[in-house]
Amino acid sequence: VDSRRSDDFDDESKVLDQLPTSEPWWMDQIRVARLEARYSTGPCNARAICYQLYRGEDYVLQIDAHMRFRRHWDSYLIQHLHRCPNAERSMLTTYPVGYTLPNTVPNETRGTLLFPWKFASTDSTGCDPMLRIRGCLFRDELSLGKDEPILCHLYAAGFNFSRGPPFPYDGTLHHLFFGEEMSMAVRLFTAGYDLYV
């Protein structure tokens, strides 16, 4: 939440007024943590706060805000997770295909495999270079006729789905952006999880 008002942004109340807060299921199924944007210390801390809202649900989906959902997305993800050799210790994760605002979504259905791309240049502060990750759509011959998750080694923070949270985010990694995904990939691997597209 950004309490500073600007003509460049819609009034927050317009968005909040559209939420179905009067529905009977809202209080039982929705938990919200509202924080002032100016106190943000980065994605790792924000995701750690989100995991504090977990109350034993069977599945957890972590996404970034810039997402669009297909119909029956939940059933689709549950089915694919259970196609993994060990669904209890597996996570589906990828960089989703982009779209054009507001709702022009491509018909692309091929999976996106994450792979190591390059090491960034050392910046002006002398920080060590970080490994960057990219996503690559599967070629048709790899995706056609294959309706099972494919093992990968990297983690996408903006889209992942698993049985319950494997373990909470490290909320002490303040202002870590590049490096968040590598950190989680290593943590998941050392905890015995397999990652799948």
Side-chain angles (χ1 to χ4, degrees), residues 68 97-108:
R68 292 296 183 264
V97 175
Y99 62 93
T100 304
L101 289 173
N103 288 310
T104 304
V105 180
N107 290 325
E108 184 62 69

Side-chain angles (χ1 to χ4, degrees), residues 112-183:
T112 305
L113 180 65
L114 304 177
F115 64 93
W117 177 35
K118 67 178 181 179
F119 286 95
S121 302
T122 302
D123 66 19
S124 60
T125 64
C127 290
D128 290 332
M130 293 293 300
L131 178 64
R132 299 294 198 255
I133 300 170
R134 286 187 85 169
C136 179
L137 286 172
F138 286 115
R139 294 187 310 255
D140 285 340
E141 61 266 22
L142 287 176
S143 58
L144 291 175
K146 238 186 171 172
D147 197 22
E148 60 192 45
I150 297 172
L151 190 64
C152 65
H153 301 291
L154 298 173
Y155 169 85
F159 183 91
N160 53 77
F161 180 79
S162 64
R163 295 273 304 173
F167 43 84
Y169 251 77
D170 185 347
T172 66
L173 298 175
H174 299 290
H175 303 290
L176 179 66
F177 183 75
F178 291 114
E180 170 194 4
E181 293 175 325
M182 293 305 300
S183 169

